[in-house]
Amino acid sequence: MDKKKLERYKPLKRELLMIDKQISRLEERREALPVVMGKVQSSDYNFPFTERRVSVPMLEPKEADKIDKDIAQKYARKCYVESKMNEVEEFIEDMPEGEVKRIFELYFLEGMTQSQVADIVALDRSRISRKICDYLENAHKAQN
């Protein structure tokens, strides 16, 4: 895990909220679509191999298909964003308990500034930055 991936957590969190709002709006639009009578093919009840055309009520097909496609794309993006967020959360969750883990939680997950974190854990802002860099450096060396 590198610092860039960790710093992407906050924007991903905002994007996730935005995607949820977009999905809600698309679902509302889908519910508001007009119902039209559409023709479908079916088998005759008495003669199963004889095709017949039946009128059925349905949402306006072209617009409904477009909205369904957009919703599917949003859900796919949502899954991707959630997986990237989970990577960061798992990395921090697997850290040993202590001051450094608390710094990572506050800075990366809560989105606080280094100065705010420094006030909470009673250190200088520069020490916060140094602890983050040192831990990531050591974690990178341990992986190799």
Side-chain angles (χ1 to χ4, degrees):
M1 182 69 57
D2 62 5
K3 196 170 182 180
K4 273 188 178 180
K5 286 183 182 178
L6 289 165
E7 288 177 342
R8 287 282 304 143
Y9 185 85
K10 193 172 161 184
L12 288 172
K13 196 173 185 179
R14 282 194 305 265
E15 183 179 354
L16 190 61
L17 292 172
M18 185 182 68
I19 290 170
D20 284 336
K21 286 179 186 176
Q22 291 171 340
I23 289 172
S24 293
R25 278 190 244 124
L26 286 168
E27 287 171 345
E28 287 172 10
R29 270 185 46 208
R30 191 176 195 293
E31 290 174 9
L33 287 176
V35 175
V36 296
M37 294 305 285
K39 299 272 186 187
V40 295
Q41 289 182 339
S42 73
S43 295
D44 193 286
Y45 294 115
N46 298 325
F47 302 100
F49 299 106
T50 304
E51 287 184 11
R52 65 184 182 134
R53 294 177 77 68
V54 180
S55 293
V56 295
M58 63 175 59
L59 296 176
E60 200 286 308
K62 287 182 183 177
E63 191 63 27
D65 286 346
K66 182 184 178 309
I67 291 173
D68 289 342
K69 182 180 174 187
D70 290 345
I71 289 173
Q73 287 175 339
K74 298 293 180 194
Y75 273 115
R77 179 65 185 171
K78 182 178 178 175
C79 287
Y80 173 78
V81 168
E82 286 174 339
S83 72
K84 291 299 179 187
M85 289 175 67
N86 284 338
E87 285 179 25
V88 172
E89 290 167 359
E90 288 173 12
F91 175 78
I92 293 174
E93 183 68 31
D94 292 342
M95 292 174 67
E97 288 297 324
E99 183 180 61
V100 176
K101 182 176 182 176
R102 183 77 178 131
I103 290 169
F104 272 70
E105 289 171 341
L106 294 170
Y107 184 66
F108 293 110
L109 299 182
E110 300 296 325
M112 293 182 173
T113 64
Q114 288 183 359
S115 298
Q116 292 170 325
V117 174
D119 290 341
I120 291 171
V121 295
L123 293 172
D124 290 338
R125 191 215 53 82
S126 61
R127 285 297 298 150
I128 300 297
S129 179
R130 189 76 247 149
K131 283 185 179 278
I132 291 170
C133 289
D134 288 347
Y135 185 85
L136 291 174
E137 221 173 88
N138 292 334
H140 183 70
K141 285 179 185 176
Q143 282 182 339
N144 293 334

